[in-house]
Short mmCIF file of all heavy atoms in Angstrom, two decimals:
data_model
loop_
_atom_site.label_atom_id
_atom_site.label_comp_id
_atom_site.label_asym_id
_atom_site.label_seq_id
_atom_site.Cartn_x
_atom_site.Cartn_y
_atom_site.Cartn_z
N LYS B 33 -243.61 -151.24 119.76
CA LYS B 33 -242.44 -151.71 118.90
C LYS B 33 -242.29 -153.26 118.98
O LYS B 33 -242.08 -153.95 117.92
CB LYS B 33 -241.15 -151.06 119.35
CG LYS B 33 -241.09 -149.59 118.93
CD LYS B 33 -239.63 -149.10 119.01
CE LYS B 33 -239.40 -147.66 118.79
NZ LYS B 33 -239.80 -146.87 120.05
N ALA B 164 -252.46 -186.35 114.55
CA ALA B 164 -251.74 -186.16 115.83
C ALA B 164 -252.05 -184.73 116.23
O ALA B 164 -252.48 -184.52 117.46
CB ALA B 164 -250.21 -186.26 115.58
N PRO B 213 -267.08 -159.78 119.86
CA PRO B 213 -266.03 -158.75 119.82
C PRO B 213 -265.49 -158.46 121.12
O PRO B 213 -264.28 -158.08 121.24
CB PRO B 213 -266.89 -157.51 119.28
CG PRO B 213 -268.03 -158.01 118.64
CD PRO B 213 -268.37 -159.40 119.23
N VAL B 221 -255.15 -163.64 123.11
CA VAL B 221 -254.09 -163.93 124.11
C VAL B 221 -254.01 -165.46 124.18
O VAL B 221 -252.90 -166.02 124.20
CB VAL B 221 -254.33 -163.27 125.39
CG1 VAL B 221 -253.41 -163.81 126.47
CG2 VAL B 221 -254.43 -161.85 125.30
N TRP B 251 -237.78 -179.12 112.80
CA TRP B 251 -236.95 -178.57 113.79
C TRP B 251 -236.68 -179.53 114.91
O TRP B 251 -235.51 -179.59 115.24
CB TRP B 251 -237.66 -177.29 114.38
CG TRP B 251 -237.83 -176.17 113.47
CD1 TRP B 251 -237.43 -176.12 112.08
CD2 TRP B 251 -238.54 -175.02 113.63
NE1 TRP B 251 -237.87 -175.07 111.55
CE2 TRP B 251 -238.55 -174.27 112.38
CE3 TRP B 251 -239.36 -174.41 114.71
CZ2 TRP B 251 -239.06 -172.96 112.31
CZ3 TRP B 251 -239.85 -173.17 114.60
CH2 TRP B 251 -239.72 -172.44 113.44
N LEU B 268 -224.71 -178.81 117.02
CA LEU B 268 -225.82 -179.12 116.18
C LEU B 268 -227.23 -178.95 116.87
O LEU B 268 -228.27 -178.64 116.26
CB LEU B 268 -225.72 -180.47 115.49
CG LEU B 268 -224.77 -180.56 114.41
CD1 LEU B 268 -224.72 -181.96 113.87
CD2 LEU B 268 -225.14 -179.70 113.21
N GLY B 388 -249.91 -132.61 153.78
CA GLY B 388 -250.70 -132.58 154.95
C GLY B 388 -249.91 -133.29 156.10
O GLY B 388 -248.94 -133.99 155.85
N LEU B 405 -245.06 -147.12 161.33
CA LEU B 405 -246.50 -147.07 161.42
C LEU B 405 -247.02 -148.45 161.97
O LEU B 405 -248.06 -148.42 162.62
CB LEU B 405 -247.18 -146.82 159.98
CG LEU B 405 -247.42 -145.43 159.71
CD1 LEU B 405 -247.85 -145.45 158.21
CD2 LEU B 405 -248.38 -144.81 160.54
N ALA B 449 -252.86 -166.06 175.76
CA ALA B 449 -253.43 -165.35 174.63
C ALA B 449 -254.79 -165.96 174.34
O ALA B 449 -255.72 -165.25 174.04
CB ALA B 449 -252.51 -165.54 173.35
N VAL B 453 -258.32 -164.05 174.29
CA VAL B 453 -259.22 -164.04 173.18
C VAL B 453 -260.58 -164.39 173.56
O VAL B 453 -261.62 -163.67 173.16
CB VAL B 453 -258.73 -165.17 172.15
CG1 VAL B 453 -259.75 -165.46 171.11
CG2 VAL B 453 -257.41 -164.65 171.40
N PRO B 494 -256.47 -149.80 171.98
CA PRO B 494 -256.04 -148.66 171.36
C PRO B 494 -256.77 -147.39 171.93
O PRO B 494 -257.76 -147.62 172.63
CB PRO B 494 -256.55 -148.75 169.88
CG PRO B 494 -257.79 -149.74 170.08
CD PRO B 494 -257.43 -150.62 171.29
N ALA B 528 -261.37 -143.10 171.83
CA ALA B 528 -262.00 -142.21 170.82
C ALA B 528 -262.39 -143.00 169.75
O ALA B 528 -261.81 -144.06 169.35
CB ALA B 528 -261.08 -141.01 170.54
N CYS B 647 -283.93 -122.98 161.07
CA CYS B 647 -283.86 -124.36 161.50
C CYS B 647 -283.93 -125.34 160.41
O CYS B 647 -284.45 -125.00 159.32
CB CYS B 647 -285.13 -124.61 162.44
SG CYS B 647 -285.07 -123.58 163.91
#
Side-chain angles (χ1 to χ4, degrees):
Chain B
K33 288 198 189 79
V221 174
W251 295 358
L268 286 177
L405 270 174
V453 165
C647 293

